[in-house]
């Protein structure tokens, strides 16, 4: 384990190299390290110690990176919180994680920028908890994925080798930094190589292309929705993207036609990868230099084993479908305070992804279905149970079911079906307003249908396939 992404382990030769910038700030590796030490001193004065957790609830900006790294400087962990969360959503993560300090838009102004030199030497260990990344599950309550520094280091090493990141690279970060994808692929991987990073706070198609022309990045990572917006721009928009040697697409399935359209219009290869937070981001990726197979998410990253498992727990040969399972040093240590969920996901020594896939004779993975009911909207994972819990909290609702409806831009959007309690009537507008008060905007149903009764399967469970079919027919 090298941990070369940590400022206190970086080679001295990096000192004056450009490290990270956003719209307001530009730092070298030396000045970034100074900012980290200064923030760590501030955190220590606020009671942060080895083993503590710091919640970082900021939009994409340099201070977010500084805050995460400052927690690590003290041997603490960071839990990145979506800054668009409602108070209910944020409170759950902050309380569940046991965070002793929250860095948000109000407190970030208090972060000092010049260290006083009072910190003892850093003692970062492979087994120290680094990140608590929250992801929802079948219970509907987000769970804390525990990633230690060994997990993060393995992810950086495998991804860096797979995509060939070096000191001359420059990543343009556009994905939200509460996602492990942005943290590992766009930030820590180039940082471990002495490369540079430019951080965008939000995505807008024209502004994004202007940033490429101005900043001249060599790569970036995004989700299918972003690429859909880019190829949908008027033919009159002809940006200079010659600096980009490749781009990565992940977080949601994308049709091969989208990859072809991106490469034809912008002139750089687009490689698709696959993974999940429990695997510290990615487990497969089509190669930047080598055979790329449209319709697949590529072979296993270096250091990982990806296999297909049948329901009886045996591994199946190439060409047969089953659940995608993963092994490697990147696999999480477990879910925070969720031993049963941890055992269900990791109990046999494999990370069970809940996705159905097929490996071809070359080891390239094709995702063919999802075991779970997860909805992927523009690369954001949305779990229906969380939304159903909010719908069920209405005294007028008897039953509720949430499914994904196909959408040409976002891939899927959230649609809800409810039935009313006897003697009650469902006010659709009021119920949607209730959802807006409890849920992030992307989780609020775009449509809500009131049925006399929700369809059931033979064992009495709500028949979600029938609801999806109903939407497809409509």
């Amino acid at each position: 384990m090298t941990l070369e992404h940590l400022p206190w382990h970086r080679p001295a030769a990096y000192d004056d190299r450009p490290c990270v910038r956003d719209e307001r700030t530009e730092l070298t590796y030396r000045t970034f390290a100074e900012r980290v030490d200064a923030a760590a001193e501030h955190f220590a004065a606020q009671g942060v110690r080895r083993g503590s957790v710091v919640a970082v609830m900021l939009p994409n900006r340099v201070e977010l990176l500084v805050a995460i790294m400052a927690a690590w400087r003290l041997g603490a962990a960071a839990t990145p919180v979506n800054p668009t969360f409602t108070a209910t959503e944020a409170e759950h993560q902050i309380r569940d994680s046991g965070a002793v300090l929250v860095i948000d838009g109000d407190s970030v102004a208090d972060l000092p920028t010049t260290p006083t030199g009072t910190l003892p030497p850093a003692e970062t260990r492979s087994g120290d908890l680094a990140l608590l990344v929250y992801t929802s599950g079948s219970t509907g309550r987000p769970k804390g994925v525990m990633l230690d520094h060994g997990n993060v280091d393995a992810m950086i090493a495998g991804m860096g080798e797979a995509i060939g990141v070096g000191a001359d690279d420059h990543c343009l970060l556009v994905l939200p930094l509460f996602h492990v994808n942005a943290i590992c692929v766009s930030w820590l991987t180039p940082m471990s190589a002495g490369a540079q990073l430019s951080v965008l706070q939000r995505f807008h198609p024209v502004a994004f292309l202007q940033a490429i022309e101005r900043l001249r990045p060599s790569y970036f990572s995004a989700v299918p929705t972003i690429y859909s917006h880019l190829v949908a721009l008027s033919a009159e928009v002809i940006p200079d993207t010659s600096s980009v040697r490749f781009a990565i697409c992940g977080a949601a399935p994308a049709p091969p036609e989208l990859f072809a359209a991106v490469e034809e219009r912008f002139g750089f290869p687009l490689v698709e990868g696959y993974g999940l937070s429990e695997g510290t981001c990615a487990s497969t990726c089509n190669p930047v230099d080598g055979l790329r197979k449209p319709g697949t998410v590529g072979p296993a990253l270096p250091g990982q084993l990806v296999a297909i498992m049948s329901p009886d727990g045996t591994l199946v040969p190439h060409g047969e479908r089953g659940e995608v399972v993963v092994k490697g040093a990147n696999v999480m240590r477990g879910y925070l305070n969720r031993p049963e969920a941890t055992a269900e996901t990791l109990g046999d020594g494999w990370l069970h992804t809940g996705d159905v896939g097929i490996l071809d004779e070359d080891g390239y993975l094709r995702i063919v279905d999802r075991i779970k009911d997860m909805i992927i909207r523009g690369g954001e994972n949305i779990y229906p149970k969380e939304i159903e819990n909010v719908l069920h909290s209405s005294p007028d609702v008897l039953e509720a079911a949430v499914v994904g409806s196909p959408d040409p831009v976002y891939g899927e959007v959230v649609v809800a079906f409810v039935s009313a309690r006897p003697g009650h009537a469902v006010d659709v507008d009021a119920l949607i307003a209730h959802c807006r008060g409890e849920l992030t905007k992307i989780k609020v149903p775009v449509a809500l249908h009131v049925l006399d009764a929700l369809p059931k399967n033979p064992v009495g469970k709500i028949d979600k396939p029938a609801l999806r079919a109903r939407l497809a027919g409509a």
Side-chain angles (χ1 to χ4, degrees), residues 305-325 348 350 352 355-361 363-366 368:
L305 179 61
V306 175
I308 305 298
M309 184 176 286
S310 67
D312 65 6
T314 59
L315 301 183
V316 304
H318 290 170
E320 294 188 18
R321 70 177 55 198
E323 184 180 15
V324 180
V325 292
D348 62 356
W350 291 91
H352 287 256
D355 291 313
V356 179
I358 298 172
L359 285 171
D360 70 11
E361 65 281 0
Y364 283 61
L365 176 65
R366 181 162 60 93
V368 296

Side-chain angles (χ1 to χ4, degrees), residues 104-448:
D104 57 16
D106 294 329
S107 59
V108 72
D110 297 331
L111 291 181
T113 58
T114 303
T116 60
T118 59
L119 290 178
E123 297 181 359
T124 313
R125 304 164 188 159
S126 177
D128 289 346
L129 188 64
L131 292 167
L132 276 172
V133 179
Y134 273 71
T135 180
S136 296
S138 58
T139 64
R141 296 296 282 176
K143 303 186 295 293
V145 174
M146 296 188 291
L147 303 175
D148 59 33
H149 282 284
N151 297 143
V152 173
D153 195 60
M155 183 72 258
I156 294 169
M159 180 57 69
E161 181 180 343
I163 61 178
V165 171
D168 293 332
D169 274 303
H170 177 184
C171 180
L172 182 61
L173 188 155
V174 66
L175 295 179
L177 275 160
F178 56 84
H179 274 190
V180 74
N181 184 321
I183 292 173
C184 287
V185 178
S186 297
W187 172 33
L188 297 178
T189 295
M191 195 164 192
S192 69
Q196 58 180 306
L197 172 68
S198 293
V199 179
L200 300 182
Q201 185 165 332
R202 61 182 63 85
F203 171 77
H204 182 278
V206 173
F208 179 73
L209 293 175
Q210 290 172 341
I212 290 178
E213 291 187 316
R214 181 177 75 257
L215 298 168
R216 310 299 292 161
S218 60
Y219 83 97
F220 63 90
S221 179
V223 297
T225 298
I226 285 179
Y227 295 108
S228 295
H229 282 301
L230 292 176
V231 298
L233 289 170
S234 166
E236 298 172 354
V237 179
I238 308 175
D240 178 3
T241 57
S242 59
S243 68
V244 180
R245 65 182 183 92
F246 71 94
I248 304 170
C249 183
E257 294 80 8
L258 178 60
F259 289 81
V262 169
E263 294 190 17
E264 180 180 358
R265 175 155 188 180
F266 300 108
F268 51 76
L270 181 60
V271 299
E272 185 170 17
Y274 163 80
L276 57 165
S277 299
E278 289 85 343
T280 321
C281 176
S283 289
T284 71
C285 189
N286 270 284
V288 174
D289 299 310
L291 177 63
R292 299 196 302 276
K293 293 189 179 185
T296 79
V297 291
L301 291 176
Q304 297 191 47
L305 179 61
V306 175
I308 305 298
M309 184 176 286
S310 67
D312 65 6
T314 59
L315 301 183
V316 304
H318 290 170
E320 294 188 18
R321 70 177 55 198
E323 184 180 15
V324 180
V325 292
V326 177
K327 276 186 179 179
N330 57 295
V331 173
M332 68 171 182
R333 67 164 70 166
Y335 296 112
L336 179 68
N337 300 325
R338 305 289 201 282
E340 292 182 359
T342 298
E344 181 181 352
T345 304
L346 301 177
D348 62 356
W350 291 91
L351 168 60
H352 287 256
T353 68
D355 291 313
V356 179
I358 298 172
L359 285 171
D360 70 11
E361 65 281 0
D362 298 319
Y364 283 61
L365 176 65
R366 181 162 60 93
I367 302 296
V368 296
D369 203 353
R370 291 198 298 274
I371 296 173
K372 302 170 184 176
D373 286 331
M374 183 175 69
I375 299 165
I376 303 180
R377 178 198 182 276
E380 294 278 357
N381 294 347
I382 299 172
Y383 290 81
K385 188 67 176 177
E386 183 182 7
I387 305 167
E388 290 163 359
N389 288 345
V390 173
L391 294 170
H392 277 126
S393 68
S394 167
D396 300 319
V397 171
L398 175 65
E399 297 175 312
V402 170
V403 297
S405 179
D407 183 85
V409 174
Y410 294 105
E412 292 179 300
V413 291
V414 175
V415 174
F417 293 86
V418 300
S419 62
R421 291 184 179 275
H424 289 246
V426 174
D427 182 331
V428 171
D429 292 339
L431 192 52
I432 291 289
H434 174 58
C435 289
R436 290 195 183 104
E438 297 293 325
L439 298 164
T440 307
K441 182 178 178 181
I442 64 167
K443 300 177 187 175
V444 176
V446 300
L448 193 150

Side-chain angles (χ1 to χ4, degrees), residues 68-117:
I68 291 176
M69 201 67 81
W72 293 350
R73 177 67 175 81
L74 298 173
T79 186
V81 185
N82 184 341
T84 69
F85 268 177
T86 65
T88 302
E89 292 167 319
E91 181 182 11
H92 167 74
Q93 181 172 339
I94 292 167
R95 182 171 296 177
D96 187 78
S97 69
V100 300
L101 179 67
V102 179
I103 301 299
D104 57 16
D106 294 329
S107 59
V108 72
D110 297 331
L111 291 181
T113 58
T114 303
T116 60

